[in-house]
């Protein structure tokens, strides 16, 4: 039975796979923040969908030149991919952060630009309203008078 020997972590390889996974996760995080699909990201950086997927999972390492291209395509500097890497705690988004991410994903997925503009105006209006004024405008007496 011919089996290949498993790669052992040696000098210079101790955490390479962890770093590859971390950089890939940061790449995925930024892609999602921008509302891009893996296919769109792959086209931006000049690789196949499968290759972009492998980068995000940390299966394939990202060469320095390719990392520069990815950073440029995603609108960040190269150090972005390493920020927070030495933090001992794993990032856990708050419920508020999850809600904001979901809001951004849903907004980006709206196909109609006019709907996006209308939603932006609605949110801007609600954000600038005094909560007391908003409650008074939506009270049963205010609706009956309208």
């Amino acid at each position: 039975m011919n089996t290949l020997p498993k790669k052992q972590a040696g000098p210079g390889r101790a955490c390479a796979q962890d770093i590859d996974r971390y950089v890939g996760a940061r790449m995925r995080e930024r892609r999602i923040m921008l509302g891009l699909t893996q296919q769109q990201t792959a086209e931006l950086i000049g690789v196949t969908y499968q290759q972009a997927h492998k980068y995000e999972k940390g299966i394939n390492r990202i060469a320095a030149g390719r990392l520069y291209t990815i950073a440029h395509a995603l609108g960040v500097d190269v150090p972005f991919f390493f920020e927070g890497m030495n933090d001992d705690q794993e990032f856990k988004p708050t419920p508020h952060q999850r809600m904001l991410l979901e809001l951004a994903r849903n907004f980006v997925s709206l196909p109609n630009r006019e709907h996006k503009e209308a939603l932006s105006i609605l949110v801007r209006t609600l954000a600038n309203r005094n909560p007391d004024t908003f409650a008074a405008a939506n009270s049963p007496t205010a609706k009956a008078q309208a």
Side-chain angles (χ1 to χ4, degrees):
M1 190 154 106
N2 289 337
T3 59
L4 294 173
K6 292 185 179 180
K7 289 186 179 179
Q8 298 288 325
R13 270 199 63 79
C15 293
Q17 292 174 344
D18 291 340
I19 292 169
D20 296 332
R21 281 191 293 272
Y22 186 83
V23 169
R26 292 287 288 171
M27 178 182 164
R28 180 177 188 276
E29 178 183 322
R30 181 64 180 164
R31 171 182 64 80
I32 291 171
M33 288 169 81
L34 295 174
L36 298 172
T37 64
Q38 280 185 338
Q39 181 64 43
Q40 292 168 325
T41 304
E43 290 170 7
L44 284 173
I45 63 175
V47 299
T48 64
Y49 161 82
Q50 291 86 354
Q51 185 64 33
H53 176 76
K54 288 179 179 182
Y55 285 155
E56 286 188 5
K57 291 293 183 185
I59 296 167
N60 287 3
R61 287 186 176 170
I62 304 173
R66 179 73 69 200
L67 188 59
Y68 179 82
T69 302
I70 293 169
H72 182 73
L74 298 179
V76 293
D77 294 324
V78 172
F80 167 84
F81 297 103
F82 302 97
E83 288 174 2
M85 190 172 71
N86 292 328
D87 293 348
D88 290 338
Q89 296 180 351
E90 185 177 319
F91 175 73
K92 301 252 185 197
T94 65
H96 181 72
Q97 290 170 321
R98 286 188 180 278
M99 183 176 60
L100 289 175
L101 180 57
E102 183 179 348
L103 178 66
R105 284 181 180 160
N106 291 331
F107 182 83
V108 169
S109 69
L110 288 173
N112 188 319
R113 183 169 188 207
E114 292 171 353
H115 290 165
K116 288 180 180 179
E117 290 175 10
L119 190 57
S120 293
I121 291 168
L122 173 65
V123 171
R124 193 174 312 115
T125 302
L126 292 174
N128 291 328
R129 271 200 159 175
N130 181 338
D132 297 330
T133 306
F134 182 73
N138 288 315
S139 71
T141 55
K143 289 182 181 178
Q145 293 172 354

